[in-house]
Amino acid sequence: SYGKTLENPVNFAELLQMAERVEGIRRIRFMTPHPKDLSDDLIRVMANSKKICHHLHLPVQSGSSRILKLMNRHYTKEDYLALVARVRAAIPDVALTTDIIVGFPKETEEDFMETMDLVSRARYHSAYTFLYSPREGTPAAIMEGRVEEQVAGERYNRLIGRIRDISQELAADDTGKIMEVLVEEINTKRENFVSGRLENNLLVHFPGDKKLLGKYVKVKLLECMGFYYLGELVGKSV
């Protein structure tokens, strides 16, 4: 929705092109577009850019058109999947991530299975998944048809399992490859390891020290662990 209220309107696709012209910027990643606002112009700019990461976080929230209407999301399951198809046609190697809420009021098992179907068709690299909890002041907080906690929890676990399976299938395709990683931080769980991200936003953990922080390096992806890789440093990027 960016730019619509500016005195001299600049849409988000144009803003990204302006950012790309800034010298010294190597990667551009943005979050988070609303599916109703993701234009074909923005898809074209992403596809043609040399700096915008081929990673798109596109929150869907639910795969049920009925629930999406209750959420006031202004798109249907079919609209969303058509958008995903346009993105993949323009950017075949795009990594797609999303947000999903389980247990929204009035969600039935049929509604939940629509979400499972969408996940299988969209094939996300990863997803932020949430159990619905009431937020004071929202229409949903006083909505009837609250989903029982045990039912919502069981659905949540099924969803997580399906997303994990798909993520592992997609990530495994890159195992053994040497790819560029932007080193972000010292790994707090593995001694003498650092952590960074690939262009597609997946994390990579590999042996290293603080001298690598903020640098782009070449890393061989040794083992896929689902939502992240273990790797080894093979050199610095130019």
Side-chain angles (χ1 to χ4, degrees):
S1 300
Y2 176 84
K4 293 179 180 178
T5 59
L6 295 178
E7 184 176 344
N8 297 307
V10 175
N11 65 37
F12 188 65
E14 292 168 332
L15 180 67
L16 286 177
Q17 289 176 308
M18 294 164 66
E20 185 166 16
R21 290 195 290 270
V22 178
E23 292 187 13
I25 292 178
R26 190 155 169 174
R27 280 186 184 177
I28 298 172
R29 196 189 307 278
F30 61 91
M31 295 176 75
T32 302
H34 195 299
K36 71 179 177 63
D37 293 320
L38 187 66
S39 66
D40 289 339
D41 190 34
L42 178 54
I43 295 171
R44 177 187 56 78
V45 168
M46 285 186 68
N48 294 333
S49 172
K50 292 181 172 60
K51 295 182 179 180
I52 300 173
C53 294
H54 286 185
H55 162 231
L56 185 63
H57 188 77
L58 193 62
V60 66
Q61 306 300 358
S62 174
S64 164
S65 294
R66 188 179 76 87
I67 296 298
L68 288 171
K69 185 174 183 179
L70 290 174
M71 290 178 169
N72 199 31
R73 291 291 287 177
H74 299 291
Y75 56 85
T76 65
K77 174 185 179 180
E78 291 72 24
D79 294 335
Y80 184 92
L81 288 172
L83 178 58
V84 168
R86 293 202 301 278
V87 170
R88 287 224 162 97
I91 315 167
D93 65 341
V94 69
L96 197 64
T97 56
T98 197
D99 298 336
I100 299 175
I101 295 173
V102 176
F104 192 82
K106 299 181 184 282
E107 180 189 76
T108 65
E109 178 67 12
E110 182 179 0
D111 292 319
F112 174 71
M113 291 308 298
E114 289 287 341
T115 297
M116 292 286 277
D117 177 66
L118 183 140
V119 165
S120 296
R121 294 165 67 180
R123 293 185 64 77
Y124 299 108
H125 276 69
S126 65
Y128 294 99
T129 51
F130 308 90
L131 279 169
Y132 171 78
S133 59
R135 183 181 299 174
E136 188 177 348
T138 62
I142 57 174
M143 195 177 290
E144 296 180 356
R146 191 69 54 84
V147 178
E148 292 183 9
E149 185 175 330
Q150 182 177 352
V151 172
E154 187 271 339
R155 290 174 183 168
Y156 180 85
N157 290 334
R158 285 156 60 194
L159 177 65
I160 288 290
R162 184 65 186 125
I163 292 170
R164 183 185 298 113
D165 289 346
I166 293 170
S167 176
Q168 288 178 331
E169 290 173 15
L170 294 172
D173 290 342
D174 289 329
T175 301
K177 293 182 181 179
I178 295 174
M179 302 185 74
E180 186 177 74
V181 174
L182 172 56
V183 185
E184 295 184 346
E185 60 187 1
I186 300 294
N187 190 302
T188 57
K189 296 182 180 179
R190 293 175 181 267
E191 190 173 359
N192 299 320
F193 268 61
V194 293
S195 301
R197 292 185 187 273
L198 301 171
E199 182 192 343
N200 66 12
N201 204 46
L202 281 184
L203 276 168
V204 183
H205 308 303
F206 60 97
D209 57 36
K210 63 181 181 181
K211 294 178 182 178
L212 296 176
L213 294 180
K215 292 183 168 58
Y216 290 90
V217 296
K218 296 292 186 182
V219 174
K220 185 173 184 179
L221 308 180
L222 299 178
E223 186 176 2
C224 170
M225 307 298 290
F227 298 123
Y228 67 91
Y229 294 98
L230 295 178
E232 65 177 2
L233 180 69
V234 296
K236 292 184 179 180
S237 298
V238 178

